[in-house]
Amino acid sequence: MTKDEIIPCLRFAPSPTGELHIGSLATALIDYMAAKSMGGNVYLRIEDTDQKREVEGAADRMIHNLNKCGIEFDGVPIIQSQRKSVYQKYADELVDKGLAYYDYTESELQSECDGENTSSAVRIKLSGTNTEERIEWEDLVKGKMSLPKINRDAVIIKSNGIPPYNFAHIIDDTSMGTTHVVRGEEWIPSTAEHFQIHEALFGGPPPWQYAHIPVLCIIGEDGNKRKLSKRKDKEALVENFLDEGYPIDALIEYLLTVYNTDFELWRIANPMTSWREFNFRFEKIGSNSPLFDWDKLNSISYDIIANMPKEQINTEVKRYFDGDPGVKITPKQLEDVYELLAVDRGTERPRKDICKYSQILTEFDYVFKKVAMTDQLREYKSLFIDGVVLKDLWYEKIKAWCDEKNIKMRDYTQQIRLALTGREKTTDLFTISRLLLK
Ligand code: GLU
C-alpha cells in the first residue's frame, strides 16, 4: 500500500434486537475477513436506535459471543444511542439549509399514540424528486445496480429524538471514514434513499462501496425458503451452537464455505492453514441466499474435530465440560474421554466419532455408566485384559483362543463390544476394554 492510499475501513453494525445468530455472524465474519484481507480495520457499531424492539443486554452478549468466535474489532464499539446530539445537529443543519423541516404533525400524532412527551420529528424534503432519475452503483457482490430515486419526505429524526437507520447510517459511515458498507441484501431497496440523504448532507454519492450480501435462509414450517430469524430460529443462535459444543472453527469454516465460492478449494489446497489466512474477495461471494444446512455444518465439524491435535481437543473438551453443559463429569471420566478421542488421532485416517462436544455424552455414553459384569466379561477380562498392555498381544491372544475354540473372532469381539458398550459400532475395542475393565 502506498502512503496516499486510504486504509480500508469496515464496520459490523448489528441492532441489539435479539441475540447473535449464525446469519449475523456471517456478516461480521465477512466484514472481518474483508478488512483483514485488504490490510484494513473493522469496527463494531451498535445500532440501538429501535428502542421498542431492543432486547435488554443483547448488545453485551453479542460482543461477548463475537469475541468467543475469535472476531476481534479495532477500537471501541460505537453506540448510536450515545450520538443523538450528533444526528440532531446534522438534521438541524439540513433544516437551516431548507432541505429538511420539523414535522409537528408527526410529533403530535406520535405523542398522542405513545402518551409521551415528544419533540418534533424531522423530515428530509425528497418529495417532488423526479423518479425518472435513478441512482446507480457498482455493488461489490451484486454488480451493477440501479434504482429510481424516491420522492417522499423521509423521517430523519423520529419524534423521540432518535434517527432511523437511514439517517444514522449515512452520518456514522461518513464520520467513521467507512470505505466498504457490507450489509444484508434486504437493504438494497432503501439504498436510493441513502444516496439522496447523502447528497443532501454532504453533496454527491456516498464515497464508500456497498456490498449487499445474500442472507442465510432456512426452509420454514410452510416449506418455503425464508430468512433466518433471531426470534423464531433459536437453534440458529450462536449461543446455541456453542452450548451444543460445536468448535468455533467449524462455525466459521461452515460460513466461509457457504459464502465464498472459492473457500472449499482453498481449504483442500491448504489443509493445515488457519482460516484467517484465506484471501477473501467480494467477487467470490455467491449471489444466491445460502440455505442453512445442518448436514454440511456437521460434516465440516466432523473433519475439524478429527484433525485437531490431541492437546487442542483435550483443552476444548475440558473447557466444554467446565462450562457446565448441564452434566457433571468426573476427572476419571474426562481422562477416559481423552483416551477415546486419542484413538487414531494424528494418523492418516483419523476417526470421525463426534461433530460436537455434547455428542461425547451419547457417542461415548458407556464411559458414564457402570459396566454390568457378566461371566463372559469376567473371563474376557482375566484372559485378555489383565496384565496385557499391548494391543497386538491382546489381538493375538484373542485370535489364538478363538481359533482353538473354533469360533469366529469377529463374533466374539462383537459380543464383548455389545456387552461393554451396548453398541454395535464403537471406537477401538482394546482401548474401551482397558478403560472400562481396569
Ligand atoms: N443495523 C443494521 C442491521 O442490523 C445494519 C445494516 C448495516 O450494516 O448498515 O441490519
Side-chain angles (χ1 to χ4, degrees):
M1 201 179 302
T2 64
K3 194 160 100 253
D4 300 332
E5 259 177 278
I6 295 171
I7 295 178
C9 175
L10 289 88
R11 82 297 185 280
F12 173 54
S15 304
T17 52
E19 307 304 317
L20 186 74
H21 68 59
I22 183 123
S24 25
L25 178 63
T27 310
L29 178 63
I30 291 173
D31 275 309
Y32 176 85
M33 293 301 284
K36 297 302 150 195
S37 295
M38 295 188 289
N41 294 320
V42 57
Y43 296 91
L44 179 66
R45 184 166 83 213
I46 300 294
E47 302 209 315
D48 53 349
T49 56
D50 190 348
Q51 293 178 331
K52 282 205 189 100
R53 290 174 61 228
E54 189 164 335
V55 173
E56 170 113 33
D60 288 341
R61 287 192 297 277
M62 263 181 190
I63 296 175
H64 177 74
N65 283 327
L66 286 161
N67 279 339
K68 268 197 187 168
C69 292
I71 300 193
E72 297 116 23
F73 294 96
D74 297 294
V76 288
I78 290 164
I79 318 285
Q80 283 190 329
S81 59
Q82 294 171 0
R83 289 169 50 76
K84 269 163 72 172
S85 58
V86 176
Y87 308 121
Q88 187 67 51
K89 180 179 117 311
Y90 279 104
D92 290 344
E93 269 172 34
L94 286 182
V95 174
D96 289 347
K97 286 188 200 157
L99 298 175
Y101 58 93
Y102 300 112
D103 184 348
Y104 294 100
T105 355
E106 165 87 4
S107 86
E108 278 159 21
L109 272 174
Q110 275 293 322
S111 44
E112 265 174 40
C113 298
D114 300 348
E116 278 171 21
N117 234 350
T118 50
S119 58
S120 65
V122 184
R123 277 180 192 270
I124 186 166
K125 290 182 189 164
L126 299 178
S127 56
T129 305
N130 179 0
T131 51
E132 301 280 291
E133 286 178 22
R134 299 181 73 87
I135 61 118
E136 287 178 353
W137 78 98
E138 187 66 38
D139 197 279
L140 289 168
V141 174
K142 303 281 174 186
K144 235 182 192 11
M145 301 291 287
S146 140
L147 285 173
K149 286 189 173 172
I150 63 152
N151 81 339
R152 64 185 153 69
D153 294 351
V155 173
I156 52 172
I157 301 284
K158 293 184 276 185
S159 48
N160 59 7
I162 292 176
Y165 167 76
N166 293 350
F167 192 58
H169 147 51
I170 297 297
I171 291 169
D172 287 346
D173 283 315
T174 300
S175 53
M176 289 168 75
T178 302
T179 56
H180 299 76
V181 169
V182 177
R183 61 184 183 186
E185 64 188 357
E186 71 272 21
W187 290 109
I188 289 177
S190 326
T191 308
E193 185 174 327
H194 299 162
F195 269 66
Q196 286 166 272
I197 292 177
H198 187 278
E199 169 85 48
L201 279 168
F202 305 111
W208 52 80
Q209 284 182 288
Y210 281 102
H212 286 101
I213 56 171
V215 289
L216 205 53
C217 289
I218 59 158
I219 300 289
E221 304 66 35
D222 58 358
N224 288 325
K225 201 170 168 179
R226 67 161 169 79
K227 207 182 136 180
L228 273 178
S229 139
K230 294 180 200 172
R231 289 155 203 274
K232 279 194 235 161
D233 302 313
K234 297 280 182 240
E235 69 284 1
L237 300 182
V238 168
E239 187 88 42
N240 184 54
F241 292 100
L242 299 179
D243 287 351
E244 290 262 320
Y246 279 96
I248 282 150
D249 281 352
L251 285 187
I252 302 278
E253 298 240 347
Y254 169 72
L255 291 174
L256 290 173
T257 305
V258 295
Y259 269 98
N260 301 280
T261 52
D262 55 345
F263 184 78
E264 256 175 322
L265 281 180
W266 176 85
R267 179 42 86 215
I268 293 168
N270 304 279
M272 304 313 286
T273 316
S274 158
W275 53 264
R276 289 178 203 267
E277 305 293 313
F278 171 65
N279 183 24
F280 172 90
R281 279 167 300 168
F282 282 111
E283 64 268 29
K284 295 291 181 187
I285 294 192
S287 50
N288 292 336
S289 302
L291 205 54
F292 181 73
D293 176 353
W294 285 97
D295 291 342
K296 184 74 186 166
L297 170 66
N298 289 344
S299 115
I300 290 176
S301 200
Y302 273 116
D303 282 341
I304 286 187
I305 294 186
N307 288 303
M308 267 183 199
K310 195 169 153 183
E311 300 67 41
Q312 187 187 350
I313 183 125
N314 290 356
T315 311
E316 296 227 348
V317 166
K318 178 158 177 15
R319 190 182 305 135
Y320 179 73
F321 285 106
D322 283 350
D324 191 15
V327 276
K328 280 267 165 285
I329 177 165
T330 66
K332 155 87 171 90
Q333 288 166 342
L334 190 62
E335 288 298 325
D336 287 358
V337 168
Y338 290 166
E339 294 257 0
L340 295 172
L341 289 169
V343 174
D344 293 347
R345 187 161 296 275
T347 63
E348 286 274 291
R349 297 194 57 200
R351 296 188 55 85
K352 294 185 185 175
D353 291 316
I354 55 167
C355 67
K356 50 185 179 179
Y357 303 127
S358 57
Q359 218 181 334
I360 287 171
L361 297 168
T362 51
E363 194 56 37
F364 302 144
D365 56 350
Y366 42 88
V367 163
F368 306 92
K369 296 176 185 159
K370 225 176 132 42
V371 178
M373 283 306 262
T374 58
D375 287 345
Q376 189 188 32
L377 279 181
R378 255 179 232 112
E379 179 188 45
Y380 168 78
K381 173 172 161 26
S382 74
L383 287 179
F384 309 119
I385 300 299
D386 292 343
V388 177
V389 182
L390 293 177
K391 183 171 174 183
D392 287 352
L393 182 61
W394 167 81
Y395 183 90
E396 289 308 328
K397 280 183 147 205
I398 299 179
K399 185 153 187 333
W401 186 80
C402 286
D403 285 352
E404 197 189 302
K405 297 231 158 197
N406 207 12
I407 49 179
K408 277 202 189 127
M409 178 168 170
R410 225 199 111 66
D411 292 345
Y412 177 66
T413 51
Q414 203 53 8
Q415 285 166 16
I416 299 296
R417 188 187 311 276
L418 256 173
L420 278 178
T421 68
R423 295 168 163 263
E424 291 186 351
K425 276 197 190 148
T426 66
T427 184
D428 177 49
L429 184 59
F430 178 62
T431 309
I432 295 176
S433 308
R434 292 199 339 122
L435 295 179
L436 301 187
L437 296 176
K438 248 194 296 186

